[in-house]
Amino acid sequence: MNKGDWMLKRKFGDRLGWKRITEREYIQTFVQTETFEGYLSFLKMIKVTEPLYINYGEKMLCIADNGYSWLQQFPKDKHHAVTTMFNDSGEIIQWYIDICIQNGVENGRPFWDDLYLDLIVLPSGEMIQQDADELEGALASGIIDKYVYNLAWNEAKEIEEQIKEGNFSSLHLAKEYRDYILKTNGSSTLS
């Protein structure tokens, strides 16, 4: 890989640049409760050009298709963003936890600055760590420094521990957050 392959990427909850989605509904809101403070976003894929399948070893999951939806949680002052992926029946397919240097809002759009390292949690409870090699490469090529590298690993380890102990509320509250955002905001269609 070249140095440019590891550049930090700013990713947005609305995923407006994702050409796979040809018809969508998108909602976002700021929430402040005892268990969560930050932005929630909800993306419904009404129509996609083709389904998106992901392989985890022997498991193949469809994570994007007509009628699928993604709820994203951007917790304030944390170094992660959580995407809960739902199928067209509203069942959770997976939780995808992006480790990031920061969450924020730019031009009214929630974003995260991706730090490569990801944790995937399946409904079975299985946890998969992904893209550690990209984090290592970013450090080796000078894209990130040792402080940011350690920040990423510390955040991932803390989240893994919370998941193992059943204390990572983002997983448990995903359906509640999805219902909340749909009930309080209706839907606003973006093309």
Side-chain angles (χ1 to χ4, degrees):
M1 284 189 163
N2 299 325
K3 185 174 181 170
D5 295 336
W6 287 299
M7 297 298 286
L8 290 178
K9 292 184 179 128
R10 177 158 290 179
K11 298 181 179 180
F12 292 87
D14 57 19
R15 303 195 183 248
L16 284 177
W18 198 12
K19 304 284 188 229
R20 180 181 303 268
I21 304 172
T22 58
E23 189 177 342
R24 68 178 64 225
E25 289 181 3
Y26 178 75
I27 307 164
Q28 69 182 43
T29 190
F30 186 83
V31 175
Q32 188 170 4
T33 67
E34 286 184 25
T35 55
F36 181 82
E37 181 178 358
Y39 275 88
L40 297 177
S41 72
F42 180 79
L43 174 65
K44 182 168 185 180
M45 300 168 217
I46 297 170
K47 191 175 276 189
V48 298
T49 57
E50 63 181 324
L52 175 60
Y53 290 90
I54 301 293
N55 282 322
Y56 299 126
E58 307 221 347
K59 293 180 178 66
M60 182 178 283
L61 297 177
C62 180
I63 61 167
D65 202 352
N66 295 335
Y68 280 44
S69 57
W70 291 6
L71 171 84
Q72 287 195 270
Q73 301 170 50
F74 301 89
K76 185 178 176 189
D77 301 326
K78 299 289 185 182
H79 297 287
H80 65 271
V82 180
T83 305
T84 307
M85 300 174 184
F86 297 90
N87 65 19
D88 57 352
S89 298
E91 301 163 327
I92 294 175
I93 302 163
Q94 70 176 7
W95 293 272
Y96 198 99
I97 304 161
D98 286 282
I99 306 302
C100 61
I101 196 159
Q102 69 175 345
N103 292 318
V105 178
E106 181 179 287
N107 299 323
R109 301 165 60 204
F111 72 83
W112 73 101
D113 289 332
D114 194 15
L115 270 179
Y116 316 105
L117 191 59
D118 304 307
L119 299 172
I120 295 100
V121 181
L122 303 178
S124 65
E126 182 180 353
M127 199 174 349
I128 302 161
Q129 187 182 86
Q130 193 167 292
D131 298 333
D133 58 331
E134 291 182 21
L135 182 66
E136 299 296 331
L139 177 65
S141 65
I143 299 297
I144 62 172
D145 61 20
K146 192 70 170 172
Y147 174 82
V148 172
Y149 173 86
N150 289 334
L151 181 145
W153 277 114
N154 290 338
E155 186 77 2
K157 288 175 186 170
E158 183 179 325
I159 291 169
E160 285 176 347
E161 283 305 310
Q162 289 177 7
I163 291 169
K164 288 176 188 172
E165 295 167 1
N167 295 329
F168 192 64
S169 64
S170 293
L171 304 187
H172 308 296
L173 296 173
K175 283 187 176 184
E176 183 180 321
Y177 290 155
R178 181 195 62 184
D179 294 346
Y180 169 81
I181 198 170
L182 288 172
K183 184 169 46 167
T184 58
N185 290 290
S187 64
S188 78
T189 305
L190 296 176
S191 5

